[in-house]
Amino acid sequence: MYEKCVALARNLWWSWHAEVINLFRDLDPIRWRQLDHNPIALLSEFTPERLEMRASELVLYSRINQAYRRLKEYVSEVPAWGRTHSGVLGSKPVAYFSLEFGVHESVPVYSGGLGVLSGDHIKSASGLGVPLVAIGLFYDQGYFKQHLDINGWQREEYLDTKVENLPMEPALGTDGKPITVRIDTRTGKLLAKVWRMRVGRVNLYLLDCDVLSNSPEDRELTARLYGGDNRTRIRQELVAGVGGIRALRALGITPGVYHLNEGHSAFATLEAVRMRMKDDGMSFDAGLREVAQHTVFTTHTPVPAGHDRFDRNLIEEHLGPLRDELGISTEQLMGIGRVEPQNEHETFCMTVLGLKLSRRANAVSNLHGHVTRRMWAHLWPWRVEEEIPIGHITNGVHIQSWLAWQMQQLYDRYFPAGWMGRMGEPDVWQTIYEIDPGELWETHYALKNLLLAFARRRISRQCRRRGESDEAVESARNILDPNILTIGFARRFATYKRAAMIMSDMDRLAALVNDPQRPIQMIFAGKAHPADEPGKQLIQRIANLRHDPRFAGRIAFVEDYDINVCRHLIEGVDVWLNNPRRPLEASGTSGQKAVLNGALNLSILDGWWAEAYNGSNGFAIGKGRQHVDERLTDSRDAAELYRVLSEEVIPLYYDRDIDGLPRHWIRRMMNSISSLAWRFSADRMVADYVRHAYLPAAGGLSCEMSVR
Ligand SMILES: *Cc1c(COP(=O)(O)O)cnc(C)c1O
């Protein structure tokens, strides 16, 4: 039994299978929670004998055996979809590059949206049977843990992850030995070892600079995600891109497609060109064309500051030796990373490199496509906007990972048999209208109570940790009320996300919160970047509302937003609020997770919501207009937010029939689920990438992705 449990724990497949999660939890529910839901850490506290005893006490044998059998079957079969749709990729898989992967909260190598998207992408690729390997970095301190001090000020803490508690092992090369890649720079060599993590059928390879032969400083290079200065950044990107390609070579993998997510890993293209030149005797120009043919580039950021730029010295120090082998001058190399190759004042932009070295580029929502084409139009000055070769594939979420277990059981009872294998089909989701409205509401209400219990537990623990009085700790156990309309807001505290919008008129907010018949309550969560003072001030303002009698017990801030906190929130809230400054939200995915569990989105028409909202599947703030004047935009959007809340959201929620059911609200929940769940699923997204990007790129076809 012990070996079978270990085998289950060592493939992250378990993380999207409720029956396996429940099994681990049952072994020791308290430790399970304390250990961040990490099964390897949990099992390490058991001897095989004690596990045997516990399994027989709880009659777990057949559940363990069944889960183990399912995993074995899963990894050994190729699903029908993959067999019929991604044939030519078979021997030449997609190499999916990202600098963060959010697969599960117990594997902290992600910070936010991009990481979770990458995690969801590889889970769906696994499920569909798309031949794909993933490449990223291993950060042994990951991203920071967030705590608020007694004044509500964000403190960052970096913890060392115990490698032995993660489901990874050294990746072995074709010679059977652990792989180390080497990258020469003008100032010395950089080494990285390579870990392998299994995510269902997909192998995730993570490069790690913590090796003995590196200098003490370089051993720390991959310690933290988004830590350090520009020099740390370029060195990390060198390891991920150039090192990533070398790791694949050592593994004996010849990719048919390189899929670069953000410019972060775009150095990979230059190394791929070098290999073509060396292996096939191509010229630099021919190698460049050849690599571009096989490269897919996805940009996720409409904010100019979000694109990495490096100066000439940093580029020459780190790319110099590679440049020598490519046989090009510093000026030529700099030119590839510039919009205007001859412009000496321009720095080297990783996104420009990615766009130039890929024949297929895409944004991550329809609106983001327009914004991106306009943003990079000067790369193609002779073309009109519609002819800029950047298309879009809208993001989606991995349904099995984000659908609450209780909700899944409800769907199981009504949906056609085997529906989990057909989640990308619209018809399947039409069945939602056959569910008894009372039952759907009851399931939602149960999940909402679980969220409130989670929030109370977390917040009373936060109070204790800060050294607050026993009274304060105790009263945190009684905050929030399941019968009140509950709004969730959780995301990075970046300025454009405008977390304080609902607080722009405090009297108005107080009136909404304290309405005697139809009150609202809110749960906030989110981290501010360690250097972002205004973001931290915003968090402080929200966190300290609990000292204001008008908001005490009704507005809560849950610390340390991560996949686990996100899961609780999107499973239990009534309304998911998103009010970014349009058009700066490239896509957003948290609202898509909320859809699956019946929460209604209340959002600015930005990112995915601009194409998802149909008038009856949630709520829109504003009409999608933009103004040049930011302050004007902000004040109009705030006014519209208050209007929609008080005229549409709140009345609909509290409009009850004689059974106490909000019939019209439940109808809207059903509209939301049926119209959005399949469309904004990662299965649909990955299928789109296969059809519109991977297959043409693997075949070396030169057609461009359609813009529409
Ligand atoms: C889904 C998710 C995100 C992305 O959410 P947005 O909608 O882009 O704000 C960020 N962080 C975590 C932990 C998530 O699970």
Side-chain angles (χ1 to χ4, degrees), residues 184-213:
D184 290 309
T185 72
R186 291 282 190 236
T187 46
K189 65 178 194 307
L190 260 175
L191 299 174
K193 59 186 169 188
V194 185
W195 298 100
R196 178 180 77 152
M197 212 179 277
R198 271 179 291 201
V199 183
R201 301 183 181 99
V202 168
N203 283 320
L204 167 57
Y205 296 103
L206 299 174
L207 284 81
D208 178 358
C209 288
D210 187 13
V211 293
L212 280 171
S213 356

Side-chain angles (χ1 to χ4, degrees), residues 266-282:
F267 289 143
T269 55
L270 298 175
E271 170 63 6
V273 173
R274 189 192 65 88
M275 279 183 18
R276 293 287 152 109
M277 292 169 66
K278 188 154 166 265
D279 295 351
D280 306 334
M282 284 186 185

Side-chain angles (χ1 to χ4, degrees), residues 110-117 120 395 397 402 490-492 496-497 561-567 570 576 578 585 587-593 608:
Y110 68 94
S111 83
L114 178 65
V116 176
L117 180 81
D120 281 6
N395 286 343
V397 295
W402 297 106
R491 44 189 47 86
R492 273 185 303 125
Y496 79 86
K497 302 233 186 201
Y561 184 49
D562 68 352
I563 289 179
N564 182 39
V565 173
C566 184
R567 188 186 302 114
I570 55 98
W576 190 250
N578 191 17
E585 182 88 306
S587 166
T589 51
S590 54
Q592 303 169 347
K593 303 168 190 168
W608 78 286

